[in-house]
Amino acid sequence: STSSPYDAIIVGGSNAGLSAAMALGRSLRKTLVIDSGKPCNRLTPHSQNFLTRDGSAPSTIARIAKEQVQAYPSVEFKSGIVIDGAKKDDTDDESGLFELQTDSGETL
């Protein structure tokens, strides 16, 4: 088991995950984004109705977004897949915490 120094762990680094990571990074929250690198929209040739990026490829939008999020030093990225997650038992020092398992066997 690895102790997690994160305020938030985001599962998935596509548009929604990167948007959340940016907001947390701007708030100086220690954040980890875990992403498989295989977004569900990877086969979509063009994004539509996406303000300022109408018609752009989803991969282009994600690349630009990730570059912008990486400007926040409190946000880290890890390649992987979260395969399980559960709320930890409430104890005085771990109340409200969650534990995640990745496909590589790491516990966060």
Side-chain angles (χ1 to χ4, degrees), residues 18-71:
L18 290 170
S19 179
M22 180 174 278
L24 289 162
R26 288 180 56 82
S27 299
L28 304 177
R29 300 292 183 208
K30 185 77 172 154
T31 304
L32 175 65
V33 179
I34 302 173
D35 185 55
S36 68
K38 297 180 182 175
C40 62
N41 63 1
R42 67 186 175 275
L43 300 177
T44 303
H46 307 287
S47 292
Q48 304 300 325
N49 298 317
F50 199 101
L51 194 60
T52 75
R53 300 287 180 210
D54 192 46
S56 296
S59 60
T60 300
I61 296 168
R63 179 185 49 75
I64 293 167
K66 186 173 182 180
E67 288 171 1
Q68 292 177 357
V69 172
Q70 287 174 321

Side-chain angles (χ1 to χ4, degrees), residues 79-102:
S79 180
I81 298 172
V82 173
I83 58 171
D84 194 24
K87 186 173 189 252
K88 294 185 82 168
D89 292 332
D90 286 337
T91 62
D92 290 337
D93 60 338
E94 294 187 343
S95 180
L97 296 180
F98 288 80
E99 187 171 85
L100 301 176
Q101 297 280 331
T102 67

